[in-house]
Amino acid sequence: MTYTSRLDLPRAVTKPVIDLLQARLVDAIDLEAQMKQAHWNVRGKDFMQLHELFDSVHTIVEEFVDTIAERIAALGGIADGRVQTVATTSHLYEYPLEARGGEAHLKAVAGSLGEFGKLVRGGIDAAAEAGDQDTADLFTGISRETDKQLWFVEAHLDPAA
């Protein structure tokens, strides 16, 4: 804990929740960087559409990062968003550097969004079980928005389209 707060959650609740939030923070920062990787490097006939899609997803994920980090701080923790921490602790797939065409980037982005969504959903129950319904609610909102962004990305991979 970095400071004393009047927040009525005991340290026995905030400590495990801060750890949980920190784990999702590094994943969200990694996901944010992956969206820019796709945005910068996509090529092909659908370039502009995908370039803009990946930038849009990046903007949403950037909000996740800020929301999670601010919750850590509100609970009395220190949000660790250092590159070194993210590189060594992210649970997401490593983004394929060789991805060039739209489909390759769409598959990579979909994989990371899907994995991030799964991890965030696990945080909903874990935060509730720890006694922090507000963090559970925060994760629920992020989960819902992640699912929506995954739908947008996967719509481009529909073979029937």
Side-chain angles (χ1 to χ4, degrees):
M1 176 125 359
T2 60
Y3 67 93
T4 303
S5 172
R6 290 174 184 80
L7 190 67
D8 66 341
L9 293 174
R11 181 77 176 141
V13 171
T14 60
K15 171 66 174 113
V17 171
I18 288 168
D19 293 344
L20 178 63
L21 285 159
Q22 179 60 44
R24 296 301 70 84
L25 176 62
V26 298
D27 296 338
I29 293 169
D30 186 8
L31 184 61
E32 180 184 13
Q34 289 188 25
M35 295 309 101
K36 276 302 185 184
Q37 184 70 23
H39 169 77
W40 295 326
N41 293 294
V42 68
R43 300 287 184 268
K45 64 179 179 65
D46 296 323
F47 164 77
M48 187 53 76
Q49 180 182 11
L50 295 179
H51 181 73
E52 290 175 358
L53 171 66
F54 298 143
D55 202 37
S56 173
V57 176
H58 171 269
T59 299
I60 299 290
V61 175
E62 187 176 37
E63 292 173 18
F64 297 166
V65 169
D66 200 45
T67 299
I68 294 168
E70 288 176 352
R71 182 65 182 163
I72 291 170
L75 292 175
I78 296 174
D80 184 356
R82 296 173 297 166
V83 172
Q84 299 86 343
T85 302
V86 174
T88 59
T89 61
S90 176
H91 297 90
L92 299 186
Y93 308 114
E94 185 174 340
Y95 200 88
L97 191 58
E98 67 278 359
R100 290 196 36 88
E103 185 173 347
H105 283 289
L106 286 164
K107 287 179 178 178
V109 166
S112 290
L113 280 168
E115 185 62 19
F116 181 73
K118 176 182 170 184
L119 292 165
V120 169
R121 268 186 289 289
I124 296 168
D125 291 337
E129 288 170 13
D132 185 351
Q133 296 300 326
D134 291 334
T135 297
D137 183 59
L138 178 148
F139 282 141
T140 299
I142 290 173
S143 171
R144 187 173 32 254
E145 187 60 39
T146 301
D147 291 350
K148 181 179 169 183
Q149 296 307 310
L150 178 58
W151 170 51
F152 290 164
V153 169
E154 287 183 330
H156 293 273
L157 293 170
D158 186 345

